[in-house]
Amino acid sequence: MRSIFTLFFILIFTATLTAQISKRVLFIGNSYTATNNLPQMIADAAASTGDVLEFDMQVPGGYTFELHSENPTTLELIAEGTWDIVVLQEQSQIPSFPIAQVEAECFPFARVLDSLIRDANACAETMFFMTWGRKDGDAMNCPTWPPVCTYAGMDSLLHERYMMMGADNDAEVSPVGAVWHLIRDTHPEIELYIGDGSHPSAAGSYAAACTFYAAIFRKDPTAITYNYTVPADQAAIIREAAKAVVYDSLSAWYIGTYTFDPFASFTANTATPLVASFENSSTGA
């Protein structure tokens, strides 16, 4: 009897671990998020694994954290307080500017938005969308700020500043830029940019979608069977890159570090025949 009961409990527990996950996510950003409808792409990728992403987005072109912090639509969406995660994506160049400028024009408004998110829902998580360096650097700002004259220089600064925002706000980071970097280094034949050298191609958005799937659902993105319009061989490479950068190193991006993720645990006492008692030692639930 005892062994049958134990087997039944194990089967129930295993089913719980593999159950469908549903997340409500608000995306706040601009054209980098809007291009190719990235949130819908993430939802379609999740659906291919049996998971569910419900989302809304506020993504006017060229918008900054500062503009979002005073935009009525952005503020109303945050105030709904029904989101598991709110994704914040800054204008593509600002985080790569000189640090004094970033401290004046970016960091304070990241803190404002993060505070609003937590005030609306104490259980909500803020997730920063680490973007990527422009294909050939930032030609507009190169003459006055040489570190952004190349892709490598601009991308390095974006990486650093988004990680600073994650640490400063006890928030998670979706390292899309880091996944792009790996793909550029190892598979340069995959074109991540459209013709402007800034916005994402279909493959670029797909890389972002696989990154977000791993970051939001904490699951292996190689399980995704949805390819969007990306050739199957390239889609497989992109999923492997997202796995290597994100899923295999979740803590490196503060994913789960600052949140009270549920962890199921218990002890069982079966000293009395035909009677079992359990003591719950689960955390974050």
Side-chain angles (χ1 to χ4, degrees), residues 60-71:
Y63 247 53
T64 64
F65 284 168
E66 180 176 7
L67 289 173
H68 275 299
S69 72
E70 57 193 23
N71 180 278

Side-chain angles (χ1 to χ4, degrees), residues 201-225:
S201 65
S205 290
Y206 187 75
C210 294
T211 302
F212 270 106
Y213 175 79
I216 291 170
F217 292 96
R218 322 278 179 86
K219 288 187 174 182
D220 185 346
T222 61
I224 296 169
T225 59

Side-chain angles (χ1 to χ4, degrees), residues 105-121:
E105 298 179 10
C106 175
F107 290 169
F109 303 103
R111 282 192 290 272
V112 167
L113 292 169
D114 175 68
S115 296
L116 291 170
I117 292 163
R118 296 172 194 269
D119 287 346
N121 179 358

Side-chain angles (χ1 to χ4, degrees), residues 112 184 193:
V112 167
R184 279 186 53 133
Y193 302 85

Side-chain angles (χ1 to χ4, degrees), residues 249-261:
S249 304
L250 291 174
S251 62
W253 314 109
Y254 310 133
I255 296 172
T257 300
Y258 301 116
T259 57
F260 296 101
D261 291 350

Side-chain angles (χ1 to χ4, degrees), residues 155-176:
D155 192 69
S156 176
L157 287 169
L158 290 170
H159 184 124
E160 175 186 284
R161 276 43 179 305
Y162 272 105
M163 293 306 293
M164 291 172 69
M165 283 188 271
D168 291 346
N169 294 281
D170 290 353
E172 299 175 328
V173 177
S174 179
V176 177

Side-chain angles (χ1 to χ4, degrees), residues 1-281:
M1 179 69 168
R2 186 177 303 163
S3 61
I4 293 174
F5 183 84
T6 302
L7 176 60
F8 174 76
F9 190 88
I10 290 172
L11 290 172
I12 293 296
F13 186 69
T14 302
T16 301
L17 288 178
T18 58
Q20 175 192 80
I21 295 177
S22 180
K23 293 287 186 178
R24 282 181 52 80
V25 181
L26 172 63
F27 293 84
I28 294 173
N30 49 58
S31 59
Y32 272 27
T33 299
T35 299
N36 298 316
N37 196 346
L38 174 60
Q40 184 61 57
M41 195 184 297
I42 302 167
D44 291 339
S48 77
T49 70
D51 296 314
V52 177
L53 178 73
E54 298 177 36
F55 68 88
D56 203 343
M57 56 180 167
Q58 167 68 346
V59 288
Y63 247 53
T64 64
F65 284 168
E66 180 176 7
L67 289 173
H68 275 299
S69 72
E70 57 193 23
N71 180 278
T73 302
T74 302
L75 299 179
E76 288 171 10
L77 284 168
I78 291 174
E80 285 183 15
T82 60
W83 311 106
D84 297 309
I85 297 172
V86 179
V87 174
L88 300 178
Q89 180 241 316
E90 176 62 288
Q91 191 273 346
S92 60
Q93 296 157 295
I94 288 176
S96 66
F97 288 169
I99 189 61
Q101 192 171 351
V102 178
E103 288 174 339
E105 298 179 10
C106 175
F107 290 169
F109 303 103
R111 282 192 290 272
V112 167
L113 292 169
D114 175 68
S115 296
L116 291 170
I117 292 163
R118 296 172 194 269
D119 287 346
N121 179 358
C123 294
E125 300 172 20
T126 298
M127 180 177 288
F128 287 99
F129 177 169
M130 178 194 290
T131 56
W132 48 84
R134 296 191 173 183
K135 188 173 185 177
D136 300 307
D138 184 353
M140 180 186 302
N141 293 291
C142 172
T144 57
W145 181 231
V148 299
C149 290
T150 64
Y151 160 77
M154 183 181 185
D155 192 69
S156 176
L157 287 169
L158 290 170
H159 184 124
E160 175 186 284
R161 276 43 179 305
Y162 272 105
M163 293 306 293
M164 291 172 69
M165 283 188 271
D168 291 346
N169 294 281
D170 290 353
E172 299 175 328
V173 177
S174 179
V176 177
V179 173
W180 274 46
H181 197 129
L182 178 60
I183 294 169
R184 279 186 53 133
D185 282 351
T186 57
H187 290 278
E189 73 278 7
I190 299 179
E191 182 53 74
L192 300 172
Y193 302 85
I194 61 171
D196 67 0
S198 174
H199 288 82
S201 65
S205 290
Y206 187 75
C210 294
T211 302
F212 270 106
Y213 175 79
I216 291 170
F217 292 96
R218 322 278 179 86
K219 288 187 174 182
D220 185 346
T222 61
I224 296 169
T225 59
Y226 171 72
N227 293 338
Y228 187 53
T229 61
V230 179
D233 58 336
Q234 293 190 6
I237 290 169
I238 290 169
R239 291 192 293 268
E240 287 288 351
K243 178 182 184 297
V245 173
V246 193
Y247 183 70
D248 289 348
S249 304
L250 291 174
S251 62
W253 314 109
Y254 310 133
I255 296 172
T257 300
Y258 301 116
T259 57
F260 296 101
D261 291 350
F263 177 77
S265 182
F266 68 95
T267 57
N269 184 335
T270 57
T272 303
L274 301 181
V275 175
S277 61
F278 300 90
E279 181 176 347
N280 177 28
S281 55

